[in-house]
């Protein structure tokens, strides 16, 4: 079968990325502590990155075991911001939207959580501009504990944890 130039380029990129996917990847400070804190809850990864890469990154960073499910962009579900992947995770684990917390670091993540009808929290120390995230009018992790009457510790059910952005691992450290 003849490969078109873009297909060939994608194959070369994927081969290179598979070898170097954690060269620059580090957990944010406090990530393991947060994952441990929520370890009594089901935690899932929903990413537009292909699942094998995501799994390899999580494994290399020593955090794969925290997650009950990893849904990659190459799954049977449409990519974010379509909410199908969140809904599928909730269905698999028997969680209702009111019992689900979706954490992300980009406008696409916020849109995804809103589309799924779940509590959505943005982290301000990720890859998106904090001002851009603030314009979306959602709960930001650096201010969530200031939000009257809500504590993350009180959110039951599945925590769908976004993992994305060139091999960087999610972290919702409040520091």
């Amino acid at each position: 079968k003849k490969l078109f130039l873009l297909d060939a380029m994608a194959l070369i990129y994927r081969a290179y990325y598979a070898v170097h996917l954690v060269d620059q990847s580090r957990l944010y400070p406090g990530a393991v502590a947060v994952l441990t804190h929520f370890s009594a809850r089901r935690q899932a990864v929903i990413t537009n990155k292909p699942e094998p890469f995501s799994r390899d990154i999580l494994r290399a960073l020593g955090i794969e075991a925290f997650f009950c499910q990893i849904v990659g962009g190459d799954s049977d579900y449409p990519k974010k911001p379509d909410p199908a992947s969140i809904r599928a995770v909730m269905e698999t684990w028997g969680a209702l939207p009111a019992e689900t917390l979706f954490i992300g670091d980009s406008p696409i993540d916020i849109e995804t959580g809103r589309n799924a009808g779940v509590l959505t929290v943005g982290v301000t120390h990720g890859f998106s501009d904090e001002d851009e995230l603030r314009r979306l009018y959602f709960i930001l992790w650096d201010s969530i504990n200031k939000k009257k009457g809500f504590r993350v510790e009180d959110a039951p059910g599945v925590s769908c944890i976004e993992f994305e952005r060139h091999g960087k691992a999610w972290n919702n450290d409040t520091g």
Side-chain angles (χ1 to χ4, degrees), residues 96-127:
L96 300 172
E99 301 171 322
T100 302
L101 172 65
F102 188 75
I103 301 169
D105 68 353
S106 73
I108 291 289
D109 300 328
I110 304 317
E111 186 180 350
T112 304
R114 285 181 172 170
N115 289 344
V118 301
L119 176 63
T120 303
V121 176
V123 294
T124 59
H125 51 271
F127 289 88

Side-chain angles (χ1 to χ4, degrees), residues 79-153:
K79 290 183 178 182
K80 299 181 295 180
D82 189 290
S85 56
I86 296 177
R87 291 180 179 149
V89 169
M90 291 188 309
E91 184 176 335
T92 296
W93 299 102
L96 300 172
E99 301 171 322
T100 302
L101 172 65
F102 188 75
I103 301 169
D105 68 353
S106 73
I108 291 289
D109 300 328
I110 304 317
E111 186 180 350
T112 304
R114 285 181 172 170
N115 289 344
V118 301
L119 176 63
T120 303
V121 176
V123 294
T124 59
H125 51 271
F127 289 88
S128 293
D129 178 67
E130 184 173 338
D131 290 336
E132 178 184 14
L133 293 175
R134 288 194 182 283
R135 282 192 297 273
L136 295 171
Y137 303 107
F138 68 98
I139 300 168
L140 294 178
W141 196 272
D142 67 353
S143 63
I144 194 166
N145 290 320
K146 298 174 191 167
K147 187 168 178 68
K148 187 175 180 177
F150 178 79
R151 294 181 319 139
V152 170
E153 292 79 14

Side-chain angles (χ1 to χ4, degrees), residues 1-164:
K1 183 177 176 182
K2 226 176 173 181
L3 292 176
F4 294 101
L5 181 58
L6 287 178
D7 293 330
M9 290 170 57
L11 286 173
I12 292 167
Y13 171 78
R14 287 187 187 112
Y16 177 85
Y17 188 67
V19 173
H20 298 281
L21 56 103
V22 292
D23 287 357
Q24 301 298 316
S25 297
R26 304 288 179 271
L27 290 173
Y28 290 122
V32 173
V34 171
L35 291 168
T36 300
H37 176 80
F38 287 110
S39 64
R41 299 164 192 230
R42 292 182 180 103
Q43 300 178 83
V45 173
I46 296 174
T47 179
N48 284 341
K49 182 184 300 302
E51 187 272 335
F53 291 151
S54 301
R55 187 172 299 281
D56 289 348
I57 292 168
L58 294 168
R59 186 177 302 123
L61 294 173
I63 59 172
E64 179 186 23
F66 284 101
F67 303 104
C68 63
Q69 190 170 353
I70 300 168
V71 179
D74 57 347
S75 71
D76 293 335
Y77 308 105
K79 290 183 178 182
K80 299 181 295 180
D82 189 290
S85 56
I86 296 177
R87 291 180 179 149
V89 169
M90 291 188 309
E91 184 176 335
T92 296
W93 299 102
L96 300 172
E99 301 171 322
T100 302
L101 172 65
F102 188 75
I103 301 169
D105 68 353
S106 73
I108 291 289
D109 300 328
I110 304 317
E111 186 180 350
T112 304
R114 285 181 172 170
N115 289 344
V118 301
L119 176 63
T120 303
V121 176
V123 294
T124 59
H125 51 271
F127 289 88
S128 293
D129 178 67
E130 184 173 338
D131 290 336
E132 178 184 14
L133 293 175
R134 288 194 182 283
R135 282 192 297 273
L136 295 171
Y137 303 107
F138 68 98
I139 300 168
L140 294 178
W141 196 272
D142 67 353
S143 63
I144 194 166
N145 290 320
K146 298 174 191 167
K147 187 168 178 68
K148 187 175 180 177
F150 178 79
R151 294 181 319 139
V152 170
E153 292 79 14
D154 296 333
V158 175
S159 296
C160 295
I161 300 167
E162 193 278 340
F163 168 78
E164 182 81 349

